[in-house]
Amino acid sequence: MKTPKQTKKNSIQELAKALRLSPATISRVLNNHPHVHTTTRNRVMAFVEKTGYTRNIMASGLRTNRTNAVGLIVPRFSMFMHTEVITTIQSGLHAHGYNLIICQSNDSLDMEKDLARTLYASRVDAVIAACTLSTADFSHFDILTENDIPVLFYDRVPVQPYNACIVKGDDFRGGFIAASHLIQLGCKRISYLSGSLTCNIYIDRYAGFEKAMMQHKMAIRKDWVFYQELTADNARKAMYRLFAKAPFPDAIMAANDVTAIAVLEYAKEVGIKIPEDLRIVGYSNDPRSAIITPSITTIEQFPANIGQVIVTEVLKRLKGDVGSEVLYPEPIIVPVELIRRMST
Amino acid sequence: MKTPKQTKKNSIQELAKALRLSPATISRVLNNHPHVHTTTRNRVMAFVEKTGYTRNIMASGLRTNRTNAVGLIVPRFSMFMHTEVITTIQSGLHAHGYNLIICQSNDSLDMEKDLARTLYASRVDAVIAACTLSTADFSHFDILTENDIPVLFYDRVPVQPYNACIVKGDDFRGGFIAASHLIQLGCKRISYLSGSLTCNIYIDRYAGFEKAMMQHKMAIRKDWVFYQELTADNARKAMYRLFAKAPFPDAIMAANDVTAIAVLEYAKEVGIKIPEDLRIVGYSNDPRSAIITPSITTIEQFPANIGQVIVTEVLKRLKGDVGSEVLYPEPIIVPVELIRRMST
DNA sequence: TTGAAAGCGCTAACAT
DNA sequence: ATGTTAGCGCTTTCAA
């Protein structure tokens, strides 16, 4: 802004001309190639420093077929869990010189398809994705894998084998320990508010719940299990039905904290005492679950750990440490933990 | 994955060869140039569809000097306000064919400098930034403006004139209406927990507070105003000092909700009744402020509106509707609103 | 309406 | 240790 409009080309050619060197030498310096004389290197570095030259990534990317960018697709990054994961991934990748291109599918399959394609057009070096609730067919990611762009899924991941790295929280165990916790507290009439069973996370959490119930020889009442979109509204409707006529449940297990919070608020409104009359367990340790009164027992998924694992895995693949020989790798499971609070 | 490894080059040349056309014609079709025969266009489109050809953005970017990518720098995107703004920006830009490269400075000035440079290296078409608390000198953004890459600041913005578009919430008014609200409720002894006055948002909010106090001829007690990093810990320390000896304040105005929440929790712990003994106002309508008991009165900044304004402004600049003739544009101020809740 | 050719800025053989 | 040269895939004059 101070200096008058420079017609500086800001290219390696300009540097070469000014320093009476060839572009190749400049390039070598910039890329830390070994066979460059120290004097030359210093001369170049000094000049680069002085002029503020910054390499054009598009040009080098075109040549080398690498962009130093990683694409990320999430349903919504305002979802607490994703916010945390993304934070970790962005920082981790930046430390290794990668940019992160972040996209949201808004839980729309069409958008997700569009985004996979867009990211391919950008020739990102890798793609990380948490899919929509309705993604059952994952072939729109084929364009990436076919062109040797590694794909990593996390959270909502393919149920069928797919040629991609998979990272997820231990949803089965999460469901299991949440249910076991309630059972150990003496709850006899447990209702479960699940998401749709098209999505792996709800399948697994439910399976964990089922296992715990079976282990304790407790019957699962069909009309006490709900499979629905996990909105506050749906949670309230479920509560209304559950408490329409006795016997009433003595515990609600919710497949996420949004639902648990809605359940709690409904209970407070209609005068059901928590935890005396009804115990509540949520899932994912949303910050609000800690702050509400009474605070809600929930499952911590350690999103920062998930993010860290993803960073490690994606870097491996970017560095070529993982060949394409491993076609259908085993999912990586990140441990979860029960956080006990006042609602139980 | 189904088909055997194709040696398809996936380039315009290949399409040209297959269709017995020149690369130029393919390019014209892809870019919707007018002078192409409809038959040819259809033939090309059909083939593109069939083969799944996707243009290499790096190559076209190198040629045209555009990347269809916008860079974004925020302190942390886990901060509620930014999460919302980013959500809006990403969706808005995607609808116009732009990718968003999202970076976090972690409130570190060095990181911010690094990121500005990285984004220039990527030759993004524009940069949107919410600065760190300590950014006072903005010259690290010069490399962008000098190279005609438009820069837009929001939230934490330059205090001095800078050649960039500036969008922000009406912090002055926010501070003013929050304080006025307390005064109208009859509060006589208002304490203000501010962030450091190096940052425009805290300067403005404080100024609003000051104006309201002056308007009502109320003195501001120096030892009841704190300028500190807005952490829960600092908030608790401030509370401890405020309630160490009488007279005690009858209202706390906090420059953000994290602080307001910490104040409320401290008050509950030590048995100060809210709102009878102490009224509390926060800032920014963090979701937790609505859910805590009692819920906290706060200032809504409408982050989605801020995001929308940013999208509009950045698109204007990307389309070249805003020439560089407007060097130091007036900031765009997005209205705020008081949300009254139980804490007052 | 279409094609030929040059070139965006960089890197990597190959040559010296 | 350095230079020469070709080309990554695309767009855009200019010419036909």
Side-chain angles (χ1 to χ4, degrees):
Chain A
M1 293 179 39
K2 309 289 170 50
T3 45
K5 175 82 179 173
Q6 305 148 307
T7 358
K8 100 167 140 209
K9 307 271 312 219
N10 218 346
S11 79
I12 231 174
Q13 324 282 348
E14 292 298 303
L15 297 191
K17 202 179 293 172
L19 292 168
R20 301 178 167 282
L21 286 168
S22 76
T25 305
I26 312 284
S27 174
R28 288 191 188 99
V29 172
L30 259 29
N31 291 293
N32 288 313
H33 275 266
H35 300 291
V36 183
H37 198 89
T38 317
T39 324
T40 315
R41 160 159 287 130
N42 292 340
R43 216 156 62 87
V44 173
M45 292 306 278
F47 198 72
V48 164
E49 193 67 31
K50 197 182 99 192
T51 54
Y53 166 82
T54 308
R55 157 166 64 233
N56 184 325
I57 283 189
M58 277 187 291
S60 78
L62 180 58
R63 186 56 227 252
T64 58
N65 237 327
R66 317 183 70 254
T67 44
N68 286 305
V70 171
L72 175 74
I73 304 176
V74 287
R76 276 188 189 81
F77 39 74
S78 59
M79 295 168 78
F80 168 69
M81 195 256 185
H82 294 298
T83 310
E84 286 293 294
V85 171
I86 297 171
T87 298
T88 313
I89 295 178
Q90 197 273 333
S91 302
L93 289 183
H94 178 78
H96 290 264
Y98 288 91
N99 287 327
L100 192 63
I101 299 181
I102 304 190
C103 313
Q104 326 183 63
S105 63
N106 272 316
D107 246 320
S108 144
L109 183 54
D110 283 339
M111 180 67 101
E112 186 174 281
K113 288 180 180 171
D114 182 10
L115 291 172
R117 207 191 174 82
T118 306
L119 289 175
Y120 173 63
S122 298
R123 300 297 191 273
V124 291
D125 296 336
V127 167
I128 302 166
C131 296
T132 75
L133 284 175
S134 49
T135 309
D137 172 16
F138 291 77
S139 60
H140 46 292
F141 291 102
D142 289 358
I143 192 175
L144 297 161
T145 52
E146 276 169 12
N147 287 286
D148 295 316
I149 297 176
V151 175
L152 284 90
F153 293 103
Y154 79 94
D155 195 47
R156 301 169 181 185
V157 305
V159 181
Q160 310 294 331
Y162 191 84
N163 178 18
C165 175
I166 291 180
V167 178
K168 53 181 190 171
D170 196 342
D171 292 301
F172 176 82
R173 192 167 160 69
F176 180 77
I177 58 181
S180 301
H181 175 63
L182 291 173
I183 296 170
Q184 273 154 26
L185 290 170
C187 298
K188 300 288 180 210
R189 303 183 303 279
I190 304 176
S191 160
Y192 185 70
L193 272 49
S194 172
S196 151
L197 290 196
T198 53
C199 182
N200 65 290
I201 57 180
Y202 301 125
I203 297 175
D204 293 351
R205 288 173 199 177
Y206 181 76
F209 162 74
E210 205 173 24
K211 165 103 176 285
M213 294 292 273
M214 288 190 18
Q215 218 171 57
H216 294 268
K217 309 240 189 304
M218 291 177 59
I220 296 175
R221 277 184 63 151
K222 286 248 171 58
D223 55 337
W224 280 4
V225 179
F226 293 77
Y227 306 99
Q228 53 188 0
E229 208 194 329
L230 296 173
T231 61
D233 211 40
N234 281 339
R236 298 178 68 88
K237 282 182 191 146
M239 282 296 281
Y240 179 80
R241 281 179 43 195
L242 286 168
F243 285 87
K245 66 168 205 294
F248 305 139
D250 58 6
I252 304 276
M253 176 163 155
N256 77 9
D257 276 351
V258 169
T259 294
I261 290 168
V263 164
L264 179 64
E265 296 200 312
Y266 182 92
K268 280 164 76 172
E269 281 168 33
V270 302
I272 302 170
K273 288 214 187 62
I274 312 291
E276 295 82 354
D277 300 343
L278 186 72
R279 298 186 208 256
I280 301 176
V281 177
Y283 206 109
S284 64
N285 198 16
D286 184 300
R288 286 170 296 173
S289 67
I291 216 164
I292 200 168
T293 308
S295 55
I296 299 178
T297 297
T298 189
I299 302 291
E300 168 66 62
Q301 303 190 86
F302 301 105
N305 291 355
I306 294 179
Q308 201 49 61
V309 170
I310 293 172
V311 169
T312 309
E313 292 300 317
V314 78
L315 285 174
K316 265 192 212 162
R317 273 145 247 259
L318 288 169
K319 281 191 266 162
D321 290 359
V322 175
S324 41
E325 66 277 6
V326 186
L327 273 182
Y328 305 109
E330 277 296 301
I332 300 175
I333 312 281
V334 178
V336 297
E337 226 170 63
L338 181 90
I339 313 248
R340 185 168 181 189
R341 299 216 181 88
M342 303 309 291
S343 71
T344 57
Chain B
M1 290 177 43
K2 309 290 170 48
T3 45
K5 175 82 181 176
Q6 306 148 306
T7 358
K8 100 166 143 215
K9 308 270 314 227
N10 217 345
S11 78
I12 231 172
Q13 323 283 347
E14 293 297 304
L15 297 191
K17 202 178 294 170
L19 293 168
R20 302 179 167 283
L21 286 168
S22 76
T25 304
I26 312 284
S27 173
R28 288 192 188 99
V29 172
L30 260 28
N31 292 293
N32 289 313
H33 275 267
H35 300 292
V36 184
H37 198 88
T38 316
T39 322
T40 315
R41 158 160 288 131
N42 292 340
R43 216 155 63 86
V44 173
M45 291 307 276
F47 199 72
V48 163
E49 193 67 32
K50 197 182 99 192
T51 56
Y53 166 82
T54 309
R55 151 159 77 236
N56 184 325
I57 283 190
M58 276 187 293
S60 77
L62 179 57
R63 185 56 228 255
T64 58
N65 238 328
R66 318 184 70 253
T67 46
N68 286 306
V70 171
L72 175 74
I73 305 175
V74 286
R76 276 186 190 82
F77 40 74
S78 59
M79 296 167 78
F80 168 69
M81 195 257 185
H82 294 299
T83 309
E84 287 293 295
V85 172
I86 297 171
T87 298
T88 314
I89 295 177
Q90 196 273 333
S91 302
L93 289 183
H94 177 79
H96 289 263
Y98 288 92
N99 286 326
L100 192 62
I101 299 181
I102 304 190
C103 314
Q104 324 183 67
S105 64
N106 272 317
D107 245 320
S108 144
L109 183 54
D110 283 339
M111 179 68 99
E112 185 174 283
K113 288 180 180 171
D114 182 9
L115 292 172
R117 208 189 174 83
T118 306
L119 289 176
Y120 173 62
S122 297
R123 300 295 191 275
V124 290
D125 296 336
V127 168
I128 302 167
C131 297
T132 75
L133 283 174
S134 49
T135 310
D137 173 15
F138 291 77
S139 60
H140 47 292
F141 291 102
D142 289 357
I143 192 175
L144 296 162
T145 51
E146 276 169 12
N147 288 285
D148 294 317
I149 297 177
V151 175
L152 284 90
F153 293 103
Y154 79 93
D155 195 48
R156 302 170 181 183
V157 305
V159 182
Q160 310 293 332
Y162 191 83
N163 179 18
C165 175
I166 291 179
V167 178
K168 53 181 191 171
D170 195 342
D171 292 301
F172 176 82
R173 187 161 166 75
F176 180 77
I177 58 181
S180 302
H181 176 63
L182 291 173
I183 296 170
Q184 273 152 27
L185 290 169
C187 298
K188 300 287 179 212
R189 302 183 304 281
I190 302 176
S191 161
Y192 186 70
L193 272 48
S194 171
S196 151
L197 290 196
T198 53
C199 183
N200 64 291
I201 57 181
Y202 302 124
I203 297 176
D204 294 349
R205 288 173 199 178
Y206 180 77
F209 162 74
E210 207 173 23
K211 165 100 176 287
M213 294 292 273
M214 289 192 15
Q215 218 171 60
H216 293 268
K217 310 241 188 306
M218 291 176 59
I220 296 176
R221 277 185 63 154
K222 285 249 171 56
D223 55 338
W224 280 3
V225 179
F226 293 76
Y227 306 98
Q228 53 189 1
E229 207 193 329
L230 296 173
T231 62
D233 211 40
N234 281 339
R236 298 177 68 88
K237 284 184 189 144
M239 281 297 281
Y240 179 81
R241 283 183 38 201
L242 286 168
F243 285 88
K245 64 167 207 295
F248 305 140
D250 58 6
I252 304 275
M253 175 164 156
N256 76 10
D257 276 351
V258 169
T259 295
I261 290 167
V263 164
L264 178 63
E265 296 201 312
Y266 181 92
K268 279 163 76 172
E269 280 166 35
V270 303
I272 301 169
K273 290 213 185 62
I274 312 291
E276 296 80 356
D277 300 343
L278 185 71
R279 298 186 207 255
I280 301 176
V281 177
Y283 207 108
S284 66
N285 199 15
D286 184 301
R288 286 171 297 173
S289 67
I291 216 163
I292 200 168
T293 308
S295 56
I296 300 178
T297 296
T298 189
I299 301 291
E300 168 66 63
Q301 303 189 86
F302 302 104
N305 291 354
I306 294 180
Q308 202 48 61
V309 171
I310 293 171
V311 169
T312 309
E313 292 301 318
V314 78
L315 284 175
K316 264 191 213 164
R317 272 146 248 260
L318 288 169
K319 281 191 264 161
D321 290 357
V322 175
S324 42
E325 66 278 6
V326 185
L327 272 181
Y328 305 110
E330 277 297 301
I332 299 175
I333 312 281
V334 178
V336 298
E337 225 168 64
L338 182 89
I339 313 249
R340 184 165 183 191
R341 298 214 183 88
M342 303 307 293
S343 71
T344 57

